[in-house]
Amino acid sequence: MINKIFFIYFAIAIVTLSLVIITRKSLVHSVLFMLALFFHIAGLYLFLNAEFLALVQIIVYAGAILVLFLFVIMLLNIREDELKEQYSSFWPAGISIGIVFLIVLLRMPAFSLGIKGVWDIKSVTEATSTGAIGQVLYTEYLLPFEVASLILLIAIIGAIILAKKRFSK
Amino acid sequence: MINETLYNLIITIIKIIVVLSVAMLHVAFAVYFERKTIGHMQRRLGPMEVGPHGILQSFADVIKLFFKEDLVPASADKPLFYIAPVIGIAATMVSLSVVPFFNGFAIANIKVGLLFLFAMSSLGAYAVILAGWASNSKYSFLGGMRSSAQVISYEVSMGLSLVGVMIMAESLNLNDIVAAQQNFPTRLYIIPQFIGFVVFVLSAMAETNRVPFDLPEAEQELVAGYFTEYSGMRFALFFLAEYIGMLVMSSVAVVCFLGGWGLPGFIYSIFSGSSIFISILEVICFLFKLYMCMFFYYWVRSTLPRYRYDQLMSLGWKILIPVSVFNILITGTIKMLVQ
């Protein structure tokens, strides 16, 4: 009962906050609402007994990525009237893409329950969620994990090369 | 079932009230302690007028701040200007909820306490950046920009410096980390984890914007940095957030490296009868270590000059992060060999 009430609250809050984010005129205000949104997503994770994931969500998204967003917005110094002219004409395209995406999402079989894995709630709570993620990540999914880190490394090197000054002409 | 929930709720509220009021009162005396320490290190007396040896000076300052006019710049972004100090104070105060002051006591004894502390300390950056942006003043803005870069950079090395402790204690719960140190031969993690401790101390100083890394509020260049435009109680909130932030960072250092509430073994055997007395001794032990760390902050402040900005960045990225990664490597290898 309490779980359901909280889930309804989080669901409504997440949808409302997402709408608020894309309708703000000031980009910095949008970022602040996004911060609230990330906290609500972390709350959802907490209800799924995934406290590690909830805190990583806050540390990575709220603590690092969103600060970078803020940093970039302040450096670009976009004027509000400029923003309005440039992007407000795209809304029909945006809405039609959104509707197509929604139809695809609703027709997907992802909403039916799949086969249960080895890690049910009991075994996760026993190993703590941090321990369970660590176990699985470094044994079963070691290769995808390393590949993902390699991809991130490539992105970092790419950014450095783009930003590097070229001395020889 | 309902009664039990209600009982837990009341106990938690009492804990929150006790910890918060002690933390608030602590700030008053921490400021006094700082002014006296720096005063004597610079061969001055420090505050002397209000009360014996000036001990009530902070209370006089608080009363003054209460009655000051609350100014808001005309071109400020008002909602953000109002909310920035609130985010700052909330982030630091919430961090206090996971700190174990004696065996088993923490407002919230959660499994991922250390991660929670990281999350909240990174949230503190928003207060600084938003205050700098919302004030619409060049000094505030520069302070906010400097702080955002600094906090993001040093968060990485702070997180990495504590991984060694996590590996050794095999837990993220702060109470378990202290208990694990009790069972460790040296009883303190500072001895095997000295590299991690040094990296942590430097990063904590940068995270809390203290000397020698106080570039976001460098007086000579930026007036007062990000809170230049704040006055009265809003200024006091930033002040409070800074000092409670120092308290939180010091308690992380105490819990993770200096043994937390852990007393020497023979004391437990002498007073094995009365658990209340042992708890009191544990609190005293914890607070003693905590104030040693706070004293270190003040000591550094009165002796070292400020870093240059490029030096700050190269120290963070080129020295502290590689060193802490190296520390993780060594700790992990030794842990594997021992097992």
Side-chain angles (χ1 to χ4, degrees), chain B residues 40 64 77 83 100 126 140 162 205 241 244 264 279 293:
Chain B
H40 283 285
K64 181 198 74 175
D77 187 331
I83 209 170
Y126 283 95
S140 304
L162 287 171
M205 279 179 176
I244 296 180
S279 294
C293 293

Side-chain angles (χ1 to χ4, degrees), chain B residues 50 56-65:
Chain B
V50 191
L56 298 174
Q57 180 66 48
S58 303
F59 297 99
D61 287 341
V62 170
I63 294 168
K64 181 198 74 175
L65 281 172

Side-chain angles (χ1 to χ4, degrees), chain B:
Chain B
M1 191 7 211
I2 295 288
N3 271 339
E4 204 178 327
T5 321
L6 204 69
Y7 174 76
N8 283 338
L9 197 69
I10 291 168
I11 291 289
T12 313
I13 289 171
I14 292 171
K15 278 181 177 176
I16 291 171
I17 292 170
V18 169
V19 170
L20 281 195
S21 31
V22 170
M24 294 285 205
L25 214 62
H26 145 87
V27 173
F29 289 105
V31 175
Y32 171 73
F33 181 34
E34 169 164 30
R35 292 177 68 178
K36 273 288 185 196
T37 310
I38 294 175
H40 283 285
M41 281 184 178
Q42 296 167 346
R43 307 198 67 186
R44 306 181 275 115
L45 287 174
M48 283 298 279
E49 293 299 324
V50 191
H53 282 266
I55 198 158
L56 298 174
Q57 180 66 48
S58 303
F59 297 99
D61 287 341
V62 170
I63 294 168
K64 181 198 74 175
L65 281 172
F66 254 119
F67 290 107
K68 269 186 138 177
E69 192 186 348
D70 179 29
L71 286 169
V72 180
S75 56
D77 187 331
K78 292 212 174 53
L80 289 184
F81 191 82
Y82 292 145
I83 209 170
V86 178
I87 292 178
I89 194 88
T92 48
M93 284 219 172
V94 168
S95 313
L96 280 177
S97 64
V98 292
V99 176
F101 292 100
F102 58 87
N103 194 358
F105 179 90
I107 296 174
N109 197 2
I110 56 174
K111 274 181 264 176
V112 281
L114 212 49
L115 286 180
F116 184 80
L117 280 171
F118 290 150
M120 289 305 131
S121 84
S122 60
L123 204 63
Y126 283 95
V128 175
I129 304 167
L130 290 177
W133 191 80
S135 304
N136 214 341
S137 134
K138 58 183 169 191
Y139 298 122
S140 304
F141 185 64
L142 280 173
M145 287 306 244
R146 280 188 186 182
S147 177
S148 59
Q150 177 176 328
V151 170
I152 293 175
S153 315
Y154 277 82
E155 218 171 65
V156 181
S157 57
M158 192 173 82
L160 290 176
S161 71
L162 287 171
V163 173
V165 172
M166 296 174 198
I167 291 173
M168 290 183 72
E170 296 180 354
S171 174
L172 291 170
N173 179 310
L174 295 178
N175 213 31
D176 288 353
I177 289 174
V178 178
Q181 288 181 66
Q182 287 290 296
N183 300 326
F184 192 71
T186 59
R187 286 193 157 252
L188 303 175
Y189 277 166
I190 185 175
I191 294 165
Q193 285 293 323
F194 189 70
I195 302 172
F197 180 68
V198 171
V199 173
F200 176 79
V201 167
L202 291 175
S203 321
M205 279 179 176
E207 279 281 296
T208 45
N209 297 327
R210 293 287 298 185
V211 178
F213 307 114
D214 64 335
L215 289 127
E217 42 191 287
E219 290 92 350
Q220 293 88 338
E221 308 151 32
L222 298 177
V223 190
Y226 55 90
F227 54 73
T228 306
E229 303 293 339
Y230 282 85
S231 61
M233 277 321 282
R234 291 183 205 287
F235 166 74
L237 285 183
F238 273 117
F239 204 70
L240 218 56
E242 185 181 332
Y243 277 84
I244 296 180
M246 279 163 64
L247 175 74
V248 170
M249 285 299 160
S250 304
S251 39
V252 176
V254 171
V255 164
C256 292
F257 295 102
L258 303 176
W261 41 257
L263 296 164
F266 66 90
I267 291 181
Y268 284 109
S269 49
I270 293 171
F271 300 107
S272 56
S274 64
S275 59
I276 297 172
F277 192 68
I278 281 182
S279 294
I280 292 169
L281 281 182
E282 281 173 348
V283 174
I284 292 171
C285 176
F286 182 86
L287 290 181
F288 177 73
K289 289 170 182 171
L290 188 75
Y291 279 96
M292 281 294 136
C293 293
M294 295 290 277
F295 174 74
F296 184 72
Y297 264 114
Y298 304 151
W299 185 14
V300 168
R301 180 177 167 186
S302 61
T303 38
L304 292 184
R306 185 176 303 125
Y307 257 58
R308 224 170 52 215
Y309 194 72
D310 57 318
Q311 290 173 332
L312 174 90
M313 283 297 152
S314 63
L315 177 72
W317 289 102
K318 290 181 191 161
I319 299 174
L320 292 187
I321 292 177
V323 163
S324 49
V325 171
F326 182 63
N327 182 39
I328 295 171
L329 202 70
I330 294 177
T331 313
T333 316
I334 292 174
K335 179 96 183 171
M336 233 173 72
L337 292 177
V338 167
Q339 271 178 353

Side-chain angles (χ1 to χ4, degrees), chain A residues 51-124:
Chain A
E51 69 267 4
F52 178 74
L53 219 53
L55 282 168
V56 166
Q57 160 85 15
I58 294 176
I59 293 171
V60 174
Y61 281 91
I65 293 179
L66 214 53
V67 174
L68 280 178
F69 275 23
L70 218 53
F71 205 71
V72 170
I73 289 169
M74 287 174 182
L75 280 180
L76 290 178
N77 199 15
I78 300 166
R79 290 217 319 276
E80 277 169 24
D81 48 325
E82 262 177 40
L83 210 65
K84 209 176 173 185
E85 278 171 22
Q86 245 183 327
Y87 295 106
S88 54
S89 56
F90 288 126
W91 68 266
I95 283 180
S96 39
I97 291 170
I99 288 170
V100 170
F101 190 65
L102 193 69
I103 291 167
V104 171
L105 209 65
L106 285 176
R107 290 196 62 81
M108 273 208 305
F111 291 103
S112 56
L113 280 175
I115 312 152
K116 269 199 174 161
V118 191
W119 294 94
D120 54 356
I121 294 172
K122 204 182 151 203
S123 56
V124 169

